[in-house]
Amino acid sequence: MSDTTHNEESIKESISFIEAFIKEDIKAGKVESHVCTRFPPEPNGYLHIGHAKAICMDFGMARKYNGQCNLRFDDTNPTKEDVEYVDSIKEDIHWLGFDWGKNEFFASDYFPRLFDFAKDLISRGLAYVDDQSAAEIAAQKGTPSEPGTESPYRSRSAEECLDLFERMNKGEFAEGSRVLRAKVDMSSPNMHMRDPIIYRIIKTPHHRTGENWKVYPMYDFAHGQSDYFEGITHSLCTLEFEVHRPLYNWFIDQLMDGSYRPRQIEFNRLNLTYTVMSKRKLLQLVEEGYVSGWDDPRMPTIAGMRRRGYTPRSIRNFVDKIGYTKVEAINDVSLLEHSVRDDLNKIAPRVNVVMNPLKVVITNYPEDKVEMMRIINNPEDETAGSREVPFSREIYIEREDFMEDPPKKFFRMGPGREVRIKGAYIVKCEDYKKDPETGEILEVYCTYDPETRSGLPGSNRKVKGLLHYVSVNHCVDVDVRLYDRLFMDVDPLGHKDKDFLEFINPDSLVLKTACKAEPSLMMAKPLDVFQFQRVGYFNVDPDSSSDKLIFNRTVALKDSWGKMQNPK
RNA sequence: UGUCCCAUGGUGUAAUGGCAGCACUCCGGUUUUUGGUACCGUCAGUCAAGGUUCGAGUCCUUGUGGGACAACCA
């Protein structure tokens, strides 16, 4: 017997460039005690699949290197933020399978220290109060290719600045009338270094600190310092912050008292084809009523995906597969859906559901007879057991499983053809009734072969077609709402200046379909996911009222999906 | 007309300077009481030109293409 483990050992683990940096830093002794990362959402919306990528990295590195990952709410702009979002963010991170323990922080916790640091910069001549308007400041900022010019207030005395800054915070001045700026370099080729604004006056109450403050720090003045206060070793963020890094480091240079400094490393943001990822646009969908809320099953939010039946593991696996690089990538949604199917396939019980019923009468089957047929719940998982499904003289099959004049490649029911009814008998189509006006098929008449009942030796006969069914007298109506993803006609990077709402695929709108279900489905609980035979994966919507089940389509099966995309 | 970042099949992602591999997609086949799953296979790639080197996807130079940055957003 050969030992197969050597194969696994010889497969080199491929790690991201970020992890390589972390390993380097550990080796170089730059990490004093343990790796410390942070996930820093602004509580101004729900988390979406893009955040999941950051969460997996931030918490993943901490977990792998026995470190810690702090949850820090970047709540420096009270005009946009709300506690509702704080709660949803925490729930979603937990659901994804990560935990920050006691390490929950708010940038607003650091307002006093940041305020003191700002005053310190003022007294050291490194910050000043500017009385100019936003337009004037912008004009002096120059352009990326031309240097800026210095503000007339740049040389204002520290005493005066200190006094004004304190009074700004007491509410003596109107919003927009004065700002505090860091004195860096107006001619820097990096726009962010041209005397960035670090404090502005905002009189909207803050969701945590109320009316304690009238001035609030800007992102650049809060983020790095917060990292420093918390002992973050690796501050991982997305590519667009790359140009902020020199400023991040500049503030830490002014702040640091020891050798420790956090290191900012940037990686690529997640983009998905046909998927709206911008928080601003998702907010618009919610506010303008295009969807029922942030957790609408069509939304690419974590909450929406949860309600739609995606599993946390499938999202983590997906993130694993797309990797972390510095390339601006557009990931194909089919990889996400593959990850979901891959996971669901192993765990989802199969059920017979007929979406669009066509009645089949088994003419040689006794009128009152009912047989309970035993059907495997999940061929991928023996432990999932089996269930009994009633079979009788009259059954429904899927309307699309019958064709009057079937082409060669059609393996299902047609005049004179034999097909197997799943878990029951092989039947032969003898005749059918058609509406002469509309051409609609009304009923199909079959005969069954009693020797071919599943489990009997006679059932070993090869038959091409296999149809799922429900018994007419035993089935129950349920509502199915076919939620599909919110589609866009364009790639996520290509629609910047257009009104994206135009691109919502009308097929994604809610459908209500009466369908026939087998009794076992009626035991379902909210969020349970099933595979509807040959149709797709569906889950019970948590919003279902007690007397009726509503299903969300999680993902379609592979082939049906293609059919939906290109209906003939 | 600035600074910074990036460039590997259709898509995403690997390769101490040493045989360009993996996954998804598409297409084809085998198995199957799901047109599902599983398994097998086909097609398909290092942006360009120089240079260093025994040897370059990798290092250097130049070019080309894409992106970020001119919010009192994060």
Side-chain angles (χ1 to χ4, degrees):
Chain A
M1 285 290 139
S2 67
D3 180 26
T4 54
T5 57
H6 70 278
N7 277 333
E8 288 162 32
E9 282 165 18
S10 66
I11 295 170
K12 265 179 282 173
E13 186 202 9
S14 151
I15 63 169
S16 66
F17 72 100
I18 297 177
E19 187 170 353
F21 282 155
I22 292 175
K23 279 181 139 169
E24 244 173 57
D25 290 346
I26 293 172
K27 203 172 173 184
K30 289 183 189 168
V31 177
E32 280 179 23
S33 58
H34 59 277
V35 170
C36 190
T37 58
R38 101 274 90 114
F39 176 64
E42 183 187 17
N44 67 346
Y46 278 55
L47 260 27
H48 55 61
I49 176 79
H51 295 103
K53 177 172 178 175
I55 289 170
C56 290
M57 172 54 78
D58 292 331
F59 285 93
M61 286 301 101
R63 184 178 287 178
K64 183 158 180 182
Y65 289 94
N66 277 322
Q68 85 185 51
C69 178
N70 298 352
L71 171 60
R72 181 170 71 231
F73 291 96
D74 234 335
D75 55 349
T76 57
N77 185 354
T79 65
K80 291 181 149 189
E81 296 149 11
D82 196 284
V83 282
E84 175 199 351
Y85 298 128
V86 171
D87 297 337
S88 76
I89 287 168
K90 291 199 265 189
E91 185 186 352
D92 290 346
I93 297 171
H94 275 146
W95 179 76
L96 276 173
F98 298 102
D99 188 39
W100 55 93
K102 292 176 180 163
N103 304 308
E104 180 177 319
F105 304 101
F106 290 82
S108 51
D109 294 337
Y110 310 127
F111 284 170
R113 292 171 83 174
L114 292 169
F115 192 76
D116 287 345
F117 178 45
K119 286 193 292 188
D120 180 47
L121 287 183
I122 295 173
S123 18
R124 287 157 62 194
L126 291 173
Y128 59 98
V129 172
D130 197 323
D131 296 357
Q132 299 179 102
S133 69
E136 287 168 316
I137 291 174
Q140 286 162 7
K141 199 135 196 177
T143 69
S145 52
E146 303 160 47
T149 50
E150 297 188 349
S151 163
Y153 297 94
R154 201 174 201 260
S155 48
R156 181 128 80 173
S157 77
E159 293 70 31
E160 191 184 355
C161 288
L162 236 26
D163 173 59
L164 286 168
F165 187 47
E166 290 283 8
R167 287 164 61 199
M168 280 162 68
N169 191 39
K170 284 182 185 136
E172 292 187 24
F173 309 118
E175 286 187 17
S177 62
R178 285 188 166 86
V179 290
L180 184 69
R181 292 227 258 167
K183 199 184 287 184
V184 189
D185 178 7
M186 285 309 288
S187 61
S188 168
N190 183 335
M191 298 295 286
H192 295 279
M193 302 299 273
R194 320 240 261 232
D195 288 13
I197 292 167
I198 58 178
Y199 263 98
R200 75 292 211 193
I201 300 169
I202 297 176
K203 295 190 175 173
T204 306
H206 186 279
H207 65 102
R208 291 188 78 243
T209 63
E211 310 212 2
N212 295 353
W213 301 90
K214 296 289 184 287
V215 291
Y216 290 88
M218 299 283 288
Y219 165 84
D220 283 311
F221 196 69
H223 202 99
Q225 287 89 311
S226 301
D227 286 343
Y228 184 80
F229 296 151
E230 290 177 17
I232 302 300
T233 57
H234 298 274
S235 185
L236 314 175
C237 60
T238 45
L239 247 28
E240 66 268 25
F241 293 103
E242 214 155 22
V243 271
H244 291 247
R245 199 187 330 134
L247 185 57
Y248 178 102
N249 288 332
W250 190 86
F251 285 127
I252 287 173
D253 286 339
Q254 309 310 322
L255 185 63
M256 65 190 291
D257 45 19
S259 60
Y260 153 76
R261 69 181 309 138
R263 175 177 185 184
Q264 175 178 312
I265 305 171
E266 309 85 10
F267 60 88
N268 60 349
R269 180 181 276 281
L270 170 67
N271 294 298
L272 272 186
T273 53
Y274 310 113
T275 306
V276 190
M277 207 75 87
S278 138
K279 246 190 204 178
R280 203 196 92 238
K281 291 169 179 172
L282 294 178
L283 178 63
Q284 192 182 346
L285 287 170
V286 173
E287 286 186 334
E288 296 178 12
Y290 290 92
V291 293
S292 63
W294 286 96
D295 67 342
D296 186 291
R298 290 167 294 176
M299 294 281 272
T301 51
I302 304 296
M305 293 168 85
R306 171 172 59 234
R307 192 168 146 195
R308 183 124 177 256
Y310 283 42
T311 58
R313 182 172 45 211
S314 63
I315 294 173
R316 279 186 258 120
N317 288 346
F318 167 68
V319 168
D320 247 18
K321 286 177 196 171
I322 61 176
Y324 298 84
T325 66
K326 302 191 79 159
V327 184
E328 283 189 63
I330 302 177
N331 296 277
D332 198 324
V333 278
S334 58
L335 184 57
L336 203 214
E337 301 197 331
H338 170 264
S339 303
V340 179
R341 280 197 306 265
D342 192 42
D343 191 30
L344 255 23
N345 178 52
K346 296 166 196 140
I347 59 175
R350 277 58 168 166
V351 295
N352 285 357
V353 174
V354 174
M355 307 282 287
N356 190 7
L358 172 63
K359 190 192 268 189
V360 174
V361 181
I362 319 287
T363 53
N364 60 341
Y365 195 87
E367 292 266 359
D368 301 325
K369 187 171 177 184
V370 177
E371 284 180 276
M372 298 307 287
M373 301 300 187
R374 188 152 288 281
I375 298 183
I376 296 289
N377 283 330
N378 184 351
E380 307 299 312
D381 178 12
E382 279 186 22
T383 65
S386 60
R387 67 196 187 279
E388 287 194 324
V389 176
F391 180 83
S392 63
R393 181 182 161 91
E394 296 187 347
I395 60 173
Y396 288 121
I397 63 165
E398 209 69 66
R399 186 162 285 277
E400 65 173 30
D401 285 350
F402 176 84
M403 279 184 94
E404 268 186 284
D405 187 16
K408 278 252 156 29
K409 301 282 271 182
F410 187 81
F411 303 139
R412 305 176 219 175
M413 192 179 282
R417 287 188 174 210
E418 275 197 322
V419 293
R420 186 188 301 280
I421 302 297
K422 185 176 170 65
Y425 298 97
I426 294 175
V427 301
K428 184 175 184 185
C429 174
E430 308 284 359
D431 197 7
Y432 59 99
K433 186 162 75 184
K434 183 160 101 164
D435 185 325
E437 306 264 303
T438 62
E440 189 193 357
I441 307 296
L442 299 174
E443 278 185 1
V444 175
Y445 305 100
C446 293
T447 53
Y448 84 113
D449 178 352
E451 302 297 312
T452 59
R453 179 178 165 148
S454 286
L456 297 181
S459 73
N460 287 334
R461 183 143 57 90
K462 290 273 182 215
V463 181
K464 254 282 163 62
L466 175 71
L467 270 44
H468 57 279
Y469 76 100
V470 291
S471 168
V472 170
N473 290 322
H474 301 84
C475 68
V476 187
D477 278 4
V478 289
D479 281 349
V480 172
R481 202 174 284 174
L482 293 173
Y483 281 118
D484 274 324
R485 270 181 304 105
L486 220 45
F487 270 111
M488 296 180 59
D489 256 352
V490 290
D491 283 331
L493 300 180
H495 60 271
K496 264 188 173 173
D497 303 320
K498 298 176 188 166
D499 181 2
F500 76 104
L501 291 177
E502 286 175 14
F503 297 117
I504 293 176
N505 184 336
D507 294 341
S508 69
L509 298 179
V510 176
L511 300 175
K512 252 187 155 185
T513 318
C515 88
K516 306 285 179 181
E518 62 173 54
S520 68
L521 207 48
M522 307 313 291
M523 317 276 285
K525 298 185 301 296
L527 288 180
D528 282 353
V529 183
F530 297 92
Q531 187 192 98
F532 289 9
Q533 292 286 344
R534 272 215 342 266
V535 180
Y537 294 94
F538 287 73
N539 84 316
V540 181
D541 194 299
D543 264 12
S544 295
S545 55
S546 55
D547 59 337
K548 83 180 153 186
L549 292 175
I550 294 176
F551 291 91
N552 296 319
R553 187 200 290 268
T554 304
V555 283
L557 296 180
K558 222 172 174 181
D559 282 0
S560 317
W561 181 249
K563 225 181 298 165
M564 283 176 47
Q565 296 274 307
N566 300 306
K568 285 195 179 143

